[in-house]
Amino acid sequence: MHVLKTLLAQVKEFTRDSILTPIFMLVEVAMEMVIPLLMASIIDEGVNKGDMHHIFVIGAYMILAALVGLWAGMMGGKYGARASAGFARNLRKSMFANIQTFSFENIDKYSTAGLVTRLTTDVTNLQNSYQMILRMGMRAPASLIVAMIMSLYISPRLASVYLIAVLILACVLFLIISRVTKIFDYVFKKYDDLNASVQENISGIRVVKAYVREDFEKEKFQKASGNIYKFLLKAERILACNAPVMMTTVYTCILLISWLGAKMIVTSTFTTGELMSMLTYCMNILGSLMMLSMVFVMITMSVANANRVAEVLNEKATIVNPENPVMEVPNGDIDFDHVNFAYKKDAEEFVLEDIDLHIKRGETIGVLGGTGSAKSTLVNLISRLYDVTEGKVRVGDIDVRDYDLEVIRNQVSVVLQNNVLFSGTIYENLRWGSENATDEECQKACKLACADEFIERFPDGYDTYIEQGGSNVSGGQRQRLCIARALLKQPKVLILDDSTSAVDTATDAKIRKAFREEIPGTTKLIIAQRISSVQDADRIVVMDNGRIDGIGTHEELLESNAIYRDVYESQTGGGSGDFDEKEGE
């Protein structure tokens, strides 16, 4: 019921269309039910008695009823299509809007492929089901009930044949639905695996081709696709039983009605017109049952879709604005006050443990550590991409949880490890940092990030089109564009999360020099693997296993910190210079 309420709330402005559709379907049913009675009157009162006036008059009524029924059916189709398409549009819009509010913690619960499936396949199935319910869901039971009443009115004895047929078909339908429900529930979850396989292959197609793994990828896709095929085939085989049972029942009813009706006509207790009406109502009743079976099958298929869509709609962001948020970040001071953090509330161990770190505005802080030392997790807490489990993170002496989310994230600019560019020109990508940035401001930011060097070599300069994901620029160029984009925000805190790893050391040094000279008042946190990238920082934080192993200047750490000293010696003495290797020795 909760799922149904969630979905129906998305009908919104299409409520009128959703109400008009079943009304028009009822009008169509009424016209269809009148026609057999008129036909019986023509045969009994007109044909049998040779009354041509009666035939013409009743015939005109039949034509009128048919035209009204046709018009009602067309209107039902029109409003039903509009209501279902609008319902699907609202579902996608609301889901996408809700996804945009998700924190990283929310996003971690769903796979990308799973969200794409819910926005596409699941919503399409719900759209088809909604239209089926509005039209057939109203028409079929109404037609069935009215036809049964009319049949009982004409001949209760013959109408009992229909009652038996309805009970038989209802039992068969129940057995079929009970068996296929679980199958469809399983199948739609497997669509996530299929989409994941496609997404992974396309995003990594260069690696696939470089390692000549096309056959392996084909086999993996065929396995995911074959799994869906196998279970859908099983479900369809069960559903296929519905048609022969239905048709057998229909023809049996026709034979019984014809046989019993003929006997009654011979004994003069029944008329030919009434027999014709009963046969017509027979087709209406059994046709309605077939429609109902289709509606139930469609609903059965869409139950799993409904649950998956409602799950995303009902997902509440774990990070939201406070009631009276602070709307201004006073300065770039950063304080970690005995912070503990775990990605899951019930986790046995913390990812970050007892982090006590105080950074003054304008400082340049280097953050070093091996893979898995929680460097990225540490800086993600500053812009409130995650909330601390215990302790406090303050920016400008104010808890980050007290800020308006947009305000804190605009003033704490993060260049993440995954450098993502979007399809569009370089100018359009840069203006993600500031929508109203002028061309001069964009160019200045690119100069600071040393991106102007390669942009000016492009034939179209800043109007060069960037392909999706930045696939037509190199890794280093992509990193510099992302840094420029972050600088356009003019933040009080700038975080570079291993964002110069693909840049040569000379360019890296230029970027750091530009930061020192051009944005001295901005607090800068630089996560890096190369000690050369942070050795001129005001202080360097060495992370190890989610804890701070040491804090100090380059010279101080060389004297006091074993991890830092070992890595420095390996990087300057011809070794690998790998944090993980040194930690493992």
Side-chain angles (χ1 to χ4, degrees):
M1 188 58 69
H2 182 60
V3 170
L4 187 62
K5 184 179 178 182
T6 299
L7 297 181
L8 290 180
Q10 300 304 317
V11 176
K12 297 178 181 176
E13 69 269 31
F14 298 97
T15 302
R16 172 178 166 271
D17 296 324
S18 299
I19 294 171
L20 285 175
T21 301
I23 290 174
F24 279 118
M25 300 315 297
L26 288 175
V27 172
E28 185 184 16
V29 168
M31 293 302 102
E32 286 184 357
M33 294 301 106
V34 167
I35 288 174
L37 288 178
L38 296 175
M39 183 176 63
S41 178
I42 284 179
I43 293 171
D44 293 338
E45 301 297 327
V47 176
N48 291 342
K49 295 181 180 180
D51 187 347
M52 292 303 296
H53 179 264
H54 185 83
I55 291 173
F56 285 131
V57 171
I58 301 301
Y61 287 147
M62 286 182 68
I63 292 172
L64 180 62
L67 290 174
V68 172
L70 176 63
W71 172 79
M74 290 171 62
M75 290 297 101
K78 172 187 172 182
Y79 287 110
R82 186 187 295 172
S84 60
F87 174 58
R89 187 197 73 178
N90 288 344
L91 281 176
R92 290 192 183 97
K93 183 180 177 182
S94 296
M95 286 174 70
F96 188 79
N98 199 38
I99 290 169
Q100 300 311 301
T101 69
F102 285 0
S103 66
F104 280 19
E105 183 181 341
N106 294 114
I107 292 169
D108 291 342
K109 289 175 63 176
Y110 303 95
S111 66
T112 303
L115 289 174
V116 170
T117 304
R118 292 166 204 248
L119 282 162
T120 52
T121 305
D122 289 340
V123 172
T124 300
N125 287 338
L126 286 175
Q127 177 181 344
N128 293 334
S129 296
Y130 189 62
Q131 185 171 18
M132 181 77 78
I133 290 168
L134 288 181
R135 298 188 65 200
M136 298 301 108
M138 179 59 70
R139 174 190 168 88
S143 180
L144 175 66
I145 293 167
V146 175
M148 284 295 298
I149 292 171
M150 299 302 286
S151 298
L152 288 167
Y153 171 75
I154 295 170
S155 174
R157 180 183 172 190
L158 290 181
S160 61
V161 174
Y162 302 149
L163 289 173
I164 296 169
V166 168
L167 289 173
I168 292 171
L169 290 176
C171 291
V172 172
L173 192 59
F174 174 78
L175 290 172
I176 289 173
I177 290 174
S178 62
R179 292 195 64 184
V180 298
T181 301
K182 292 180 181 178
I183 298 175
F184 283 124
D185 188 39
Y186 175 81
V187 163
F188 288 117
K189 288 179 182 177
K190 288 299 172 184
Y191 270 112
D192 292 352
D193 296 339
L194 183 69
N195 284 345
S197 176
V198 174
Q199 180 194 4
E200 188 177 49
N201 176 266
I202 292 173
S203 61
I205 193 68
R206 289 170 175 77
V207 178
V208 173
K209 290 189 174 297
Y211 283 86
V212 198
R213 297 288 282 174
E214 290 91 344
D215 290 339
F216 172 78
E217 287 295 316
K218 286 178 187 176
E219 186 179 338
K220 188 168 72 172
F221 177 83
Q222 286 169 359
K223 184 178 179 182
S225 180
N227 203 17
I228 293 174
Y229 166 77
K230 182 175 68 175
F231 282 94
L232 277 179
L233 183 63
K234 183 179 179 181
E236 291 298 335
R237 280 175 176 167
I238 296 171
L239 289 174
C241 297
N242 186 48
V245 172
M246 186 71 68
M247 296 312 297
T248 301
T249 308
V250 168
Y251 293 132
T252 302
C253 284
I254 291 173
L255 287 171
L256 285 172
I257 294 296
S258 299
W259 179 57
L260 294 171
K263 289 181 70 175
M264 291 169 69
I265 290 172
V266 170
T267 58
S268 300
T269 57
F270 208 49
T271 67
T272 306
E274 287 174 334
L275 177 59
M276 293 286 291
S277 298
M278 289 297 289
L279 289 172
T280 304
Y281 286 131
C282 172
M283 296 305 295
N284 280 331
I285 290 169
L286 299 174
S288 299
L289 281 171
M290 290 186 73
M291 288 183 199
L292 273 177
S293 68
M294 290 171 61
V295 171
F296 279 119
V297 167
M298 189 65 78
I299 291 173
T300 301
M301 290 175 63
S302 62
V303 166
N305 304 125
N307 289 329
R308 286 158 55 83
V309 169
E311 185 181 6
V312 175
L313 289 172
N314 290 325
E315 181 76 19
K316 301 297 182 186
T318 55
I319 295 178
V320 295
N321 273 338
E323 286 187 14
N324 297 301
V326 177
M327 300 303 292
E328 185 180 353
V329 179
N331 56 61
D333 288 344
I334 303 170
D335 297 289
F336 287 84
D337 188 1
H338 298 285
V339 168
N340 292 324
F341 173 77
Y343 285 105
K344 294 183 179 179
K345 293 179 181 179
D346 56 350
E348 295 181 2
E349 295 182 2
F350 291 119
V351 177
L352 287 171
E353 192 169 353
D354 195 28
I355 303 298
D356 194 49
L357 176 63
H358 305 280
I359 301 167
K360 295 178 182 178
R361 71 195 77 172
E363 268 194 299
T364 298
I365 302 296
V367 183
L368 296 173
T371 304
S373 59
K375 306 183 298 296
S376 297
T377 306
L378 178 77
V379 297
N380 283 341
L381 299 178
I382 300 172
S383 57
R384 209 186 167 201
L385 296 176
Y386 290 98
D387 270 341
V388 297
T389 306
E390 295 175 3
K392 288 183 180 180
V393 175
R394 289 188 289 268
V395 174
D397 295 323
I398 299 171
D399 194 319
V400 293
R401 290 170 290 194
D402 294 333
Y403 282 112
D404 176 81
L405 281 171
E406 188 174 337
V407 168
I408 186 66
R409 288 175 183 170
N410 274 330
Q411 290 302 315
V412 180
S413 196
V414 185
V415 183
L416 297 169
Q417 277 181 310
N418 295 327
N419 299 284
V420 177
L421 294 175
F422 298 88
S423 53
T425 65
I426 289 175
Y427 271 135
E428 288 170 348
N429 270 278
L430 292 172
R431 289 190 174 111
W432 274 67
S434 175
E435 291 182 24
N436 301 316
T438 64
D439 290 354
E440 291 73 22
E441 288 171 333
C442 290
Q443 291 166 18
K444 182 182 178 183
C446 287
K447 189 174 182 181
L448 278 173
C450 295
D452 60 324
E453 299 173 359
F454 67 84
I455 293 174
E456 289 169 359
R457 292 199 297 268
F458 291 148
D460 296 325
Y462 286 84
D463 291 313
T464 300
Y465 189 82
I466 301 295
E467 301 291 343
Q468 185 178 4
S471 59
N472 60 332
V473 291
S474 70
Q477 291 171 340
R478 194 158 56 242
Q479 285 186 337
R480 283 179 276 175
L481 286 172
C482 289
I483 292 171
R485 181 174 64 189
L487 288 170
L488 272 175
K489 284 188 174 185
Q490 299 179 340
K492 290 187 170 63
V493 178
L494 175 64
I495 298 171
L496 304 180
D497 187 355
D498 206 15
S499 302
T500 57
S501 57
V503 174
D504 61 86
T505 52
T507 304
D508 188 10
K510 282 184 186 178
I511 294 172
R512 285 184 279 114
K513 183 173 182 289
F515 285 176
R516 248 190 337 267
E517 294 174 355
E518 300 293 335
I519 50 172
T522 300
T523 306
K524 297 166 283 290
L525 279 81
I526 303 171
I527 296 177
Q529 291 290 341
R530 293 190 301 234
I531 285 181
S532 61
S533 297
V534 295
Q535 91 177 41
D536 58 351
D538 297 314
R539 285 185 294 160
I540 301 168
V541 177
V542 179
M543 298 289 296
D544 182 37
N545 243 0
R547 286 175 167 271
I548 295 178
D549 190 74
I551 304 175
T553 63
H554 171 66
E555 292 75 16
E556 289 170 349
L557 289 172
L558 280 177
E559 292 182 8
S560 62
N561 191 272
I563 294 176
Y564 188 86
R565 185 168 54 250
D566 287 347
V567 174
Y568 174 75
E569 289 172 357
S570 64
Q571 287 186 359
T572 56
S576 69
D578 191 291
F579 273 88
D580 301 319
E581 182 179 315
K582 289 296 170 186
E583 288 176 350
E585 289 179 357

